[in-house]
Amino acid sequence: MPGLTLATLPVVDMAPEPFAVLLLTALAGGAFGAAIGALPSFIFTGFVVLIGESLTLLPGDLPVSLTNAIGFGPIVGPHIAFAGGVAASAYAGTRYPELAPDGWDYHFGKNIQYAFGTKPDVLAVGAVFGALGMLIAKVVTALGIPTDNIAVAVVATALIARPVFGYPIVGSPSGSGLLDMGPFERDEPHPAADGGAAEHAGRPATEPWLPQQYTWTGVTLIGAIFGVLAGFLWLQTDSVFLGYGLSAASLVFLQFDVPNFPVTHHITLLGAVGGVLGFSVFASPLLAVVAAGCFGVLSALVGECGERILYSHSGTHVDPPAMAIATLMLVIGGAFQLGLLPTSSYLGL
């Protein structure tokens, strides 16, 4: 425009309505997660966190934390974009089952790789749950609950979506109990009487979150390996979230169906936290890395228990890594408040 310069452009003052701005952005962020898919949105989280934490290693102060403002903020924060995408898949599982791609053996409500594009009703669901995730995270913080508020919101929104869209909250186990993966290993079909033959046709009786990563031995090994790596990474960079960012960004390979690819962001995050705690207690790099490996194993096993209880027997995605992070950070935060630990790590209590 003639005569318009940078000096004459209006200055936008966000101070009067920061919550309104945050809420509107969270609505858009949840719809964004529905549009591109829950898993792709989380991969974006990983890359943003990876870049943000890498920038902190450069000399000088940054005007804004890319990790906090964007990676864990209302654009690609998991409690908003991923939560919106998960809820969109849950809704589509009952509203648009015909969209399930060939080769998808589980209930379509669990397909977090699917991008819903421009479907207005699906985007609306994503928007609502994105805003809900933001509100839940704020309530957790306001109540002073000593845990990872983002992980809590990811789990809570997924559980809320189940009854809202007609799914059982836990579901009925087909084996000897909630933790039994035997029906999957025996390739047993889902009982048609539980919800109707059409809904369950071709589905396994029990659906592990990751068929390549569910045995107790394998999960323990992955936990130890990636926990140690995360601990060493923290020792070298002083960044608790760098390993998390690497793990989350690496899920681009899972999105493109690379066989047997592991999911490790809950392991690397708690591994780094274990490194922080180990070094705080023992002042030894070796023991810090050992502690990181132990916390990595613990996170992997808690996540596996969570998936067997809350993922495998119903028709939508409830995130096992978020369950592990929320649970273990609650223990760590509570132990710190009781004076049992010298630090709460990234909780900043």
Side-chain angles (χ1 to χ4, degrees):
M1 296 175 62
L4 186 63
T5 66
L6 287 176
T8 60
L9 287 173
V11 176
V12 178
D13 183 6
M14 293 175 58
E17 296 180 327
F19 181 78
V21 172
L22 181 61
L23 180 61
L24 180 60
T25 309
L27 287 165
F32 166 75
I36 71 170
L39 181 59
S41 79
F42 185 63
I43 293 167
F44 273 108
T45 303
F47 278 110
V48 172
V49 171
L50 181 58
I51 295 169
E53 293 303 287
S54 298
L55 289 175
T56 65
L57 304 179
L58 300 176
D61 295 328
L62 298 173
V64 65
S65 168
L66 192 66
T67 296
N68 292 332
I70 309 299
F72 297 141
I75 299 178
V76 296
H79 58 312
I80 293 173
F82 182 78
V86 166
S89 292
Y91 168 73
T94 55
R95 180 67 177 82
Y96 300 110
E98 70 278 4
L99 294 178
D102 293 339
W104 183 257
D105 296 329
Y106 291 6
H107 194 284
F108 184 44
K110 285 181 173 173
N111 193 329
I112 60 172
Q113 297 171 267
Y114 196 92
F116 291 99
T118 59
K119 278 190 170 295
D121 54 338
V122 181
L123 297 183
V125 168
V128 169
F129 275 83
L132 180 61
M134 182 270 290
L135 293 172
I136 290 173
K138 282 194 164 294
V139 168
V140 170
T141 300
L143 293 176
I145 301 173
T147 188
D148 188 308
N149 60 346
I150 289 177
V152 170
V154 169
V155 176
T157 51
L159 289 176
I160 290 169
R162 282 188 169 173
V164 167
F165 299 122
Y167 299 90
I169 292 178
V170 175
S172 302
S174 298
S176 60
L178 290 172
L179 300 180
D180 184 13
M181 292 288 108
F184 172 77
E185 294 167 345
R186 295 187 294 270
D187 200 26
E188 294 178 8
H190 200 290
D194 184 6
E199 178 187 356
H200 296 289
R203 285 178 56 192
T206 301
E207 299 171 335
W209 165 52
L210 297 170
Q212 75 275 21
Q213 185 181 323
Y214 79 93
T215 65
W216 296 116
T217 301
V219 167
T220 300
L221 287 172
I222 285 293
I225 292 166
F226 282 86
V228 166
L229 293 175
F232 181 80
L233 192 60
W234 172 77
L235 282 173
Q236 297 300 308
T237 66
D238 198 33
S239 170
V240 173
F241 295 114
L242 187 57
Y244 173 93
L246 280 167
S247 290
S250 76
L251 295 181
V252 67
F253 297 106
L254 190 68
Q255 174 68 20
F256 291 115
D257 297 321
V258 173
N260 302 317
F261 198 84
V263 178
T264 60
H265 55 282
H266 56 311
I267 298 170
T268 49
L269 180 57
L270 267 296
V273 170
V276 172
L277 295 174
F279 194 82
S280 298
V281 173
F282 302 109
S284 164
L286 175 60
L287 293 180
V289 171
V290 171
C294 293
F295 272 75
V297 170
L298 190 59
S299 186
L301 292 175
V302 171
E304 181 56 31
C305 288
E307 79 94 358
R308 293 185 182 216
I309 295 170
L310 289 177
Y311 178 96
S312 295
H313 312 291
S314 191
T316 68
H317 182 91
V318 179
D319 199 55
M323 293 185 231
I325 294 168
T327 302
L328 292 175
M329 291 312 297
L330 179 62
V331 173
I332 290 168
F336 171 75
Q337 290 186 331
L338 293 173
L340 302 176
L341 291 175
T343 176
S344 64
S345 185
Y346 69 86
L347 295 181
L349 301 176

